Amino acid sequence: MILRHLFSPLNNTRLSHLCGPTDEHLRTIELALDVRIAHRHEQFKVEGAKAKAQRAMDMLQALYEMAARPIAPATVQLMLSGDGSADAVDGPALSTRRADLKPRTQNQALYLDNIAEFDITFGIGPAGTGKTYLAVAAAVDALQRSAVQRIVLTRPAVEAGERLGFLPGDLNQKVDPYLRPLYDALYDLMGYDQVHKAFERQALEIAPLAFMRGRTLNNAFVILDEAQNTTPEQMKMFLTRVGFGTKTVITGDLTQIDLPKTQVSGLVEAERILRRVPGIAITRLTSADIVRHPLVARIVDAYDAARLADIPALVAVPEPEPELPRTGLPKTRTPKAR
């Protein structure tokens, strides 16, 4: 199918921002939607399958409306990973350093609503869906509104399929590599100086899960990240740390469990046991909620399809044993009735 559109009135600045440097934005749309885009001045032509060509044209029109200023490549990627619109979904406004931080999908908006409403919230979904980032943003917002007195971030120190051995340095230097993603989110949402000031006044704490035993966390916002790598005992220990005035968020991806094959994930067991407990919300995110590069969603879908294809082979019904031939066996004689 071929679609044509004439952008009027002619505005060379908007057209330049729409196409991007050396037509970078157009090439990104072509690659993601498997279409061909040609243009001459303000005349654009999109060629491809009907649904994809229409979506590409809708995206071009949406981009042209916002092209008064240069368009960042990340904006194009977010539009491709969503429904073709750069507008955020209605959801709770969060007070952070990122003024543009809003949920991009309905599930993300539901996730933030559950965090605001329930004391314990589970966020389960694949990589790139914003589970950890949105949870940290909600924690920063609560701290700045004085709704809580401190933020506690924790995750299990489990290696991702590698054996790193003994790491050099003191205790903090040994565990910092495991907690680095949490630091990155805090720096982005609060700024480097504010993060270190919060550490100095003990309003911010990042620690491995092993250090949570025996504690009671009151008036805090607690986040357990990478919860799929907890054991059932660790998960129960963590959930029973919750004190008065505390919000707790548990995030994890059930497709990236790094525990030994024979070990049950604490997140899997907790979801099964706690799904009907009042006061606990479980939010499921999918590949449609991924807000990274569009290839990430395709990669997740491809791995999920391959995993489902392998299941029949793992649970195949054994073939019935062949019946032994009766040749050469002695004949049996039925006794006559008297």
Side-chain angles (χ1 to χ4, degrees):
M1 182 177 184
I2 298 177
L3 299 177
R4 302 178 188 275
H5 186 75
L6 179 68
F7 288 101
S8 61
L10 175 61
N11 187 318
N12 289 326
T13 301
R14 282 182 175 269
L15 289 174
S16 175
H17 294 164
L18 167 63
C19 298
T22 64
D23 288 350
E24 176 187 0
H25 299 337
L26 302 185
R27 301 292 84 80
T28 301
I29 297 173
E30 285 182 331
L31 181 63
L33 300 181
D34 192 22
V35 297
R36 294 181 61 188
I37 302 175
H39 69 99
R40 183 178 179 84
H41 303 299
E42 73 274 24
Q43 300 177 5
F44 279 71
K45 181 180 73 172
V46 179
E47 183 177 356
K50 182 178 180 180
K52 293 182 178 180
Q54 186 61 56
R55 185 183 177 194
M57 185 59 73
D58 293 341
M59 276 196 61
L60 290 174
Q61 294 177 4
L63 287 170
Y64 188 76
E65 292 177 1
M66 67 175 66
R69 298 179 180 179
I71 300 173
T75 301
V76 181
Q77 301 285 10
L78 286 173
M79 293 176 68
L80 287 168
S81 62
D83 58 0
S85 172
D87 298 332
V89 178
D90 290 337
L94 301 177
S95 175
T96 68
R97 184 165 167 260
R98 289 279 305 274
D100 60 339
L101 179 61
K102 293 180 180 179
R104 294 284 178 179
T105 67
Q106 293 293 341
N107 282 339
Q108 288 185 351
L110 175 63
Y111 181 43
L112 289 176
D113 288 338
N114 286 340
I115 292 176
E117 181 179 354
F118 294 89
D119 289 336
I120 297 179
T121 302
F122 286 82
I124 304 173
T129 52
K131 305 181 300 296
T132 302
Y133 194 85
L134 290 176
V136 174
V140 171
D141 172 70
L143 182 65
Q144 294 185 350
R145 290 187 293 103
S146 299
V148 296
Q149 296 177 358
R150 57 178 170 158
I151 298 174
V152 180
L153 307 178
T154 183
R155 66 188 324 201
V158 176
E159 299 154 344
E162 301 178 66
R163 295 291 178 266
L164 301 179
F166 293 100
L167 299 177
D170 58 19
L171 182 60
N172 289 332
Q173 293 172 325
K174 290 178 184 293
V175 300
D176 271 359
Y178 298 101
L179 307 175
R180 180 53 52 186
L182 300 177
Y183 282 102
D184 292 341
L186 286 171
Y187 290 147
D188 191 32
L189 293 166
M190 296 178 66
Y192 185 85
D193 293 336
Q194 290 297 323
V195 168
H196 284 272
K197 288 179 181 179
F199 274 117
E200 290 175 0
R201 66 175 188 270
Q202 297 184 349
L204 188 58
E205 178 184 350
I206 300 180
L209 180 61
F211 294 173
M212 293 294 108
R213 187 176 295 278
R215 301 181 61 182
T216 300
L217 303 172
N218 294 316
N219 300 313
F221 200 114
V222 189
I223 299 175
L224 171 59
D225 191 29
E226 298 291 337
Q228 75 274 6
N229 290 328
T230 61
T231 64
E233 294 77 15
Q234 287 176 322
M235 178 62 75
K236 181 181 177 182
M237 178 272 293
F238 172 78
L239 291 172
T240 54
R241 302 304 98 200
V242 178
F244 296 106
T246 293
K247 285 241 180 233
T248 304
V249 180
I250 299 100
T251 69
D253 179 1
L254 297 180
T255 65
Q256 296 191 24
I257 298 175
D258 299 315
L259 296 172
K261 298 295 183 182
T262 57
Q263 177 65 64
V264 177
S265 169
L267 181 59
V268 174
E269 185 176 83
E271 183 187 16
R272 177 179 59 83
I273 294 174
L274 304 177
R275 66 178 60 182
R276 293 183 177 87
V277 175
I280 296 178
I282 298 177
T283 307
R284 275 281 190 174
L285 302 165
T286 67
S287 60
D289 303 303
I290 293 177
V291 292
R292 291 179 183 169
H293 194 287
L295 278 176
V296 176
R298 297 182 213 164
I299 291 170
V300 170
D301 288 338
Y303 270 95
D304 288 344
R307 184 165 53 88
L308 292 175
D310 289 341
I311 289 177
L314 296 176
V315 295
V317 178
E319 296 182 1
E321 296 183 1
E323 193 171 330
L324 294 175
R326 299 188 61 83
T327 57
L329 296 178
K331 296 181 179 180
T332 57
R333 298 175 66 180
T334 304
K336 296 181 179 179
R338 296 180 178 177

